Amino acid sequence: MEHITLFTDILPEEQERMRVCFKVREKVFQNGETIMEYSSSMKKIGLIQEGRAVLYCCDEDGNEYVIDELNRDSVFGEPFLLPSDSQHYYVCATTVTKVLFIDYEHVIKRCENACHHHSQMVSNLLQMTALRSRQQTDRIYMLSRSSTRKKLIAYLHSLAAEKNAGKFKLPMSYTALAQYLSVDRSAMMREIKNLSDEGVIRRNGRNVELLK
């Protein structure tokens, strides 16, 4: 699937008209600042324009988990992940992050003019939802692996396929990666060292190359 964004196939002048029609708002968040807390109602959609953020889940026991990495053109909000009563979801900036917010009701309700760009945005959202579903399926596969090593290898191969390259930079810190894979960080770092010693990967900081 080609790279789809919220504004794919929508002309710049149409995007400007949509900012008024959809009551688009922009806001800049600092590192560590909460961008959105999910609620039981579908109120708004967020689009990362610049920077990086992380979607976290906190369960009823106070345990926190990394659910997703959000980079440029990533979308988030309740329509993409319906919250449950026992879990709290929130998005937090990990660097200076510029976000565009759109009211969900303005997306699903057609305007009187039945504009082409409105239909195109809905089509883009559906395709992005399908892609997000596939990414979550990939993550379920990773988490289902029986060992830290197998989870790590599955993740690295998935990242290589996404980047279409054997060399890439990990999009998150090793601490965040351990949270993402639901493994112990120390055990994960030992496996990374083993993979390097065995010639399976070459690593320099967060830069990784798959050799086998």
Side-chain angles (χ1 to χ4, degrees), residues 111-124:
C111 61
E112 294 179 357
N113 297 326
C115 304
H116 162 74
H117 51 260
H118 193 152
S119 298
Q120 185 62 52
M121 173 180 275
V122 173
S123 174
N124 293 342

Side-chain angles (χ1 to χ4, degrees), residues 4-208:
I4 300 292
T5 73
L6 198 62
F7 296 116
T8 293
D9 295 329
I10 299 177
L11 298 174
E13 56 268 27
E14 293 176 332
Q15 293 181 30
E16 288 303 314
R17 290 199 297 270
M18 291 173 70
R19 289 176 180 269
V20 177
C21 180
F22 287 11
K23 297 183 179 179
V24 171
R25 302 176 305 283
E26 291 183 353
K27 187 173 180 180
V28 176
F29 296 87
Q30 301 302 312
N31 182 15
E33 190 174 357
T34 298
I35 296 174
M36 176 193 286
E37 295 191 46
Y38 284 36
S39 66
S40 57
S41 61
M42 294 186 286
K43 295 182 178 179
K44 58 186 175 182
I45 294 172
L47 169 69
I48 303 290
Q49 292 188 295
E50 297 175 10
R52 178 178 171 273
V54 174
L55 171 61
Y56 290 100
C57 171
C58 185
D59 63 23
E60 55 189 0
D61 295 323
N63 300 309
E64 189 176 76
Y65 307 93
V66 175
I67 299 297
D68 203 1
E69 295 288 313
L70 303 170
N71 299 294
R72 183 184 176 94
D73 293 329
S74 293
V75 292
F76 59 90
E78 294 93 347
F80 300 96
L81 178 63
L82 293 175
S84 65
D85 293 336
S86 62
Q87 295 173 318
H88 174 60
Y89 295 91
Y90 64 97
V91 176
C92 184
T94 57
T95 184
V96 177
T97 303
K98 184 178 180 181
V99 180
L100 181 150
F101 291 105
I102 300 174
D103 288 337
Y104 181 63
E105 64 176 19
H106 285 88
V107 175
I108 62 175
K109 293 181 180 179
R110 292 293 298 270
C111 61
E112 294 179 357
N113 297 326
C115 304
H116 162 74
H117 51 260
H118 193 152
S119 298
Q120 185 62 52
M121 173 180 275
V122 173
S123 174
N124 293 342
L125 277 172
L126 288 173
Q127 292 183 70
M128 294 171 79
T129 301
L131 178 59
R132 178 62 56 84
S133 177
R134 189 181 71 183
Q135 292 171 339
Q136 292 300 320
T137 299
D138 289 343
R139 187 175 181 216
I140 290 172
Y141 171 80
M142 294 174 205
L143 296 179
S144 70
R145 299 301 87 193
S146 59
S147 67
T148 296
R149 181 188 180 95
K150 290 180 180 179
K151 289 180 180 181
L152 186 58
I153 290 176
Y155 173 77
L156 293 176
H157 280 283
S158 174
L159 197 57
E162 178 185 329
K163 303 294 185 182
N164 195 29
K167 294 181 179 180
F168 47 84
K169 182 176 182 179
L170 297 179
M172 63 187 89
S173 69
Y174 285 105
T175 298
L177 178 57
Q179 287 182 312
Y180 185 76
L181 297 176
S182 296
V183 298
D184 179 76
R185 186 185 186 282
S186 296
M188 184 189 74
M189 295 308 297
R190 285 196 298 271
E191 289 299 343
I192 289 176
K193 183 178 185 303
N194 290 339
L195 291 172
S196 181
D197 292 343
E198 295 167 17
V200 177
I201 65 172
R202 181 181 293 122
R203 179 176 72 98
N204 181 15
R206 286 166 50 192
N207 295 303
V208 177

